[in-house]
Each structure stands twice: as C-alpha cells, then as structure tokens.
Amino acid sequence: MPETVLSNLEAAARERIRTAAGAEELERVRVEVLGRKGSLSEISKGLGKLPPEERAGAGRQLNAVKQALEAALQARQTEFEETAGKARLAAEWIDLTLPAPGPARGHLHPISRLQAEIEDVFTSLGFTVLDGPEVETEYHNFDALNIPRDHPARDMQDTFWLTGGSVLRTHTSPVQVRGMERFGPPLRIIAPGRVFRNEELDASHEHTFYQLEGMMVDRDVSVAHLVYFMKTLLTAVFKREVTVRLRPGFFPFVEPGFELDIHCLICGGQGCRVCKQSGWVEQIGCGLVHPNVLRMSGIDPEEWNGFAFGLGLTRLVMMRYAIDDVRYLQGGDLRFLNQF
Ligand code: FA5
C-alpha cells in the first residue's frame, strides 16, 4: 500500500473535520472514514494482499491514522459541544439577584369598592353597618314591611320561594325590620347586601344584584333630611353634581314614597338601552317610614318617625363606570373585571 494513499486520506479527512459546520456533518465524516464500510476499512481489507514483510508496518500505519482521526473527531466534537453550551448559557442567563416577581394579585370587585366608599360616608355620619340573612322569613321580607298576604304589592317583586315558606330576600328592606327589632329608636343604619328576584333579564335587570338599605328613626325626621342624605351620598359617589329627579313612588313601607332617578350617565340623557331610551335611570326607592312598619317593630309612631331608602348598588356601579349591561358585573369574565 503506497504511503501517500494513507496520508492523502488522512489530510483530506482532517480538512473535512476542521471545516465541518456541525455535529451532523462530523458524524458523516466519521461514518465515511472510520465506519465499518468506510475508507479505512476498505484499505485494511487490502492488507492481506501485501507481501508478509510489509503487512505489519502497514497495519501499524493504518492504526496510527485511525487513532489520530478518532482523536481529531473527538476534539472537534468537544469544540462543538462547548460552543453550543456557551450559546445556551448566554440565551438562558438569568440574574438570580433580581427580586422575584410577586404572585398575581386579585382586587376588590367594583361593587365591593363602591359599597366600602358608601359605608365610609354613612359611618362618618353616625350610621351603623348591619348585615342580614339572604334566606329570609316571609314575615321580615313582606309582612313586617306592611305588605300583607294576598296584597297585590307582593307581586311587585318576583320572588324565589323556598320550601318551608322562606324566601331568597327580594330586597334589603327586611334588615330595616331586624335593625328596629334589635336596637329600637333612635336608629341610624345602613345594610348593603345581595338580593334575588325571579326577573326577566335585560341590560339593567339581573336576577341577583346588590342593594344598600338605609334607615334613620328619630324625632321629627322630615323629607328634607332624606334629600340631604341622598345628595351627600350621590356627591360622594360621583364626586360632582349629578342631575337627579324625585318623583312619587309607591312602596307599602313608606308614606310618602319616592323614586329617585339619576340622569343616565351612559348616554348623557340622550336615551340608550340601559335607560330604555328615557334618559333617566331608577336608582333609589325612598320615603318616610310608614307608621304601620314602626308599630309592627314595637316603635311608637306618635313619638318617632324616620326615613328609609333602598339604593340599587349594582346600577350605581353601572352609572359610575358607564357599564352598559348589568350582566357583565356578575359574569365572572376576567377580561372585564381586570379593568377595575
Ligand atoms: C325596593 O327594592 C325597595 N325595597 C326600596 C326601598 C327601600 C323603598 C326603602 C323605600 C324605602 P325597588 O324594587 O325599586 O325597590 O329596587 C330598588 C333599586 O334596586 C332600584 O331603584 C334599582 O336601582 C335596583 N334594582 C331593582 N331591580 C333590579 C334588578 N333586577 N337588577 C338590578 N338592579 C335592580
């Protein structure tokens, strides 16, 4: 075997190893040169044809070339691995001294926020915040509020009746009764909470929504007191003058009774689906407490009187943030809630 064949083969293989672009190309060189059917194998098959005195020397040379090429392949392979390792380190480098990002935090629902603000306003005016049960007795939800059985007023609010005669409270007004029973006069309370009605749903009507009840029982309470507290409340909520109108409204538990409407802030009073094209949104039912209601809770209407109001908290949130459909508020869609 001419020595030049072997040294040419070694030189060519070394050049290919040196210029290989990556591990795959290197593997191809290894197979083609050192593999079972590679060029060195082919040469070694020819060793047998050499005269015996040349065979040993040629075998040694072949082995030396084989080992040298294996070493070169290994060295180049190591180079590739080091480069790849360095690139990976550079790409995945992180600064462990940076402060870790905190866990994602939730936040208060816009209804809870407004509720807390209104609670602040009223507690600063001497009112106590009361809670009441969502599953209510028929007596507290209706009878004690001067809404007798078989009276048409019971149909004003579509009720979810529970077995055993309890109801899902249709308004927060039963908490007035619980407040009077528990504390007696004089009394200043507010009662925010969830209420339920078996309603036809639309942009301004939910089956489950929030109200905030207020009641003041004292001597010589007048409509002027009621108007004062309603104005204070709305100025605190909207932080500006808002146009309101007070019109007569019928609620069996007040006399006289009023509905306080607010100029629709979603359409600016032009008419939209929330205000049903009227430009006004019904926000608060209110009035002077009916003497029957005081009497039924053990308070003498000759000595005491009072005002009460029931504010649609959910609708107030809609006005404040110009939300044009009440159903967004309880829908649980985070894309909506994350805006607050
Ligand atoms: C009442 O619930 C009376 N209890 C309010 C009251 C209290 C009057 C004390 C006098 C004295 P009304 O059904 O109108 O009244 O509801 C009060 C407010 O709740 C409404 O003005 C409105 O803002 C809101 N509201 C009523 N129904 C819904 C509903 N389905 N979805 C969202 N908000 C509603």
Side-chain angles (χ1 to χ4, degrees):
M1 176 187 58
E3 249 176 61
T4 47
V5 174
L6 205 53
S7 58
N8 283 350
L9 186 143
E10 182 181 356
R14 279 187 185 280
E15 184 57 14
R16 284 184 67 190
I17 292 168
R18 189 181 69 77
T19 56
E24 273 178 30
E25 197 175 333
L26 210 56
E27 177 61 12
R28 268 200 303 278
V29 178
R30 195 188 63 73
V31 171
E32 284 171 28
V33 180
L34 298 171
R36 253 194 300 145
K37 293 180 181 164
S39 354
L40 282 183
S41 280
E42 289 305 312
I43 294 176
S44 83
K45 280 180 202 155
L47 285 183
K49 293 178 192 143
L50 290 177
E53 64 278 12
E54 287 179 23
R55 252 183 243 158
R60 268 196 302 279
Q61 274 177 20
L62 196 69
N63 258 339
V65 168
K66 193 176 166 198
Q67 280 168 14
L69 288 180
E70 273 170 357
L73 276 167
Q74 184 56 52
R76 188 80 173 113
Q77 176 70 26
T78 308
E79 255 177 61
F80 283 139
E81 281 166 6
E82 276 173 7
T83 317
K86 277 184 195 148
R88 199 169 150 208
L89 269 183
E92 294 178 6
W93 183 86
I94 39 171
D95 184 351
L96 293 178
T97 63
L98 282 178
R105 288 224 184 140
H107 58 80
L108 289 178
H109 191 281
I111 295 180
S112 309
R113 262 201 225 165
L114 186 61
Q115 178 183 322
E117 279 178 38
I118 298 177
E119 284 177 9
D120 274 354
V121 172
F122 278 95
T123 47
S124 73
L125 294 167
F127 284 69
T128 303
V129 182
L130 282 193
D131 209 3
E134 290 179 345
V135 173
E136 197 38 290
T137 62
E138 192 181 350
Y139 173 78
H140 286 93
N141 198 80
F142 293 120
D143 304 67
L145 288 164
N146 199 30
I147 314 175
R149 252 158 251 227
D150 307 322
H151 190 282
R154 283 222 178 177
D155 301 332
M156 283 170 71
Q157 301 167 354
D158 297 310
T159 310
F160 287 113
W161 290 91
L162 302 176
T163 47
S166 308
V167 297
L168 285 181
R169 67 177 176 189
T170 55
H171 50 178
T172 42
S173 299
V175 192
Q176 291 179 23
V177 179
R178 292 183 177 276
M180 288 186 286
E181 287 172 350
R182 190 163 153 204
F183 301 109
L187 184 72
R188 288 183 188 203
I189 53 145
I190 56 165
R194 199 157 58 148
V195 302
F196 310 85
R197 290 187 197 175
N198 194 358
E199 296 251 48
E200 284 281 334
L201 305 187
D202 62 27
S204 54
H205 290 84
E206 257 288 18
H207 50 73
T208 303
F209 57 99
Y210 285 79
Q211 286 190 342
L212 187 136
E213 195 79 8
M215 178 181 234
M216 176 173 167
V217 177
D218 213 316
R219 294 187 171 92
D220 302 322
V221 175
S222 70
V223 174
H225 290 104
L226 172 62
V227 170
Y228 166 78
F229 282 106
M230 294 301 93
K231 272 197 176 159
T232 308
L233 161 69
L234 292 171
T235 312
V237 169
F238 292 104
K239 301 189 173 55
R240 64 183 155 113
E241 280 289 309
V242 283
T243 315
V244 298
R245 72 176 183 193
L246 201 60
R247 59 190 166 88
F250 171 69
F251 302 95
F253 31 99
V254 286
E255 180 57 40
F258 307 100
E259 301 251 18
L260 189 144
D261 300 338
I262 183 167
H263 210 204
C264 181
L265 297 176
I266 290 169
C267 61
Q270 298 300 305
C272 66
R273 63 190 189 128
V274 173
C275 62
K276 301 212 166 63
Q277 312 305 329
S278 72
W280 296 93
V281 181
E282 204 184 294
Q283 285 289 345
I284 308 177
C286 52
L288 295 186
V289 183
H290 197 289
N292 284 352
V293 172
L294 294 171
R295 206 174 287 120
M296 265 186 281
S297 291
I299 297 175
D300 180 2
E302 299 298 325
E303 187 181 354
W304 304 96
N305 73 339
F307 71 72
F309 65 89
L311 146 80
L313 196 55
T314 305
R315 283 214 194 137
L316 207 56
V317 170
M318 290 174 72
M319 288 299 116
R320 186 190 216 185
Y321 296 108
I323 297 164
D324 66 3
D325 197 312
V326 67
R327 289 163 289 197
Y328 285 129
L329 283 160
Q330 309 271 65
D333 188 336
L334 288 178
R335 290 171 305 176
F336 169 77
L337 292 173
N338 282 336
Q339 298 175 72
F340 297 94

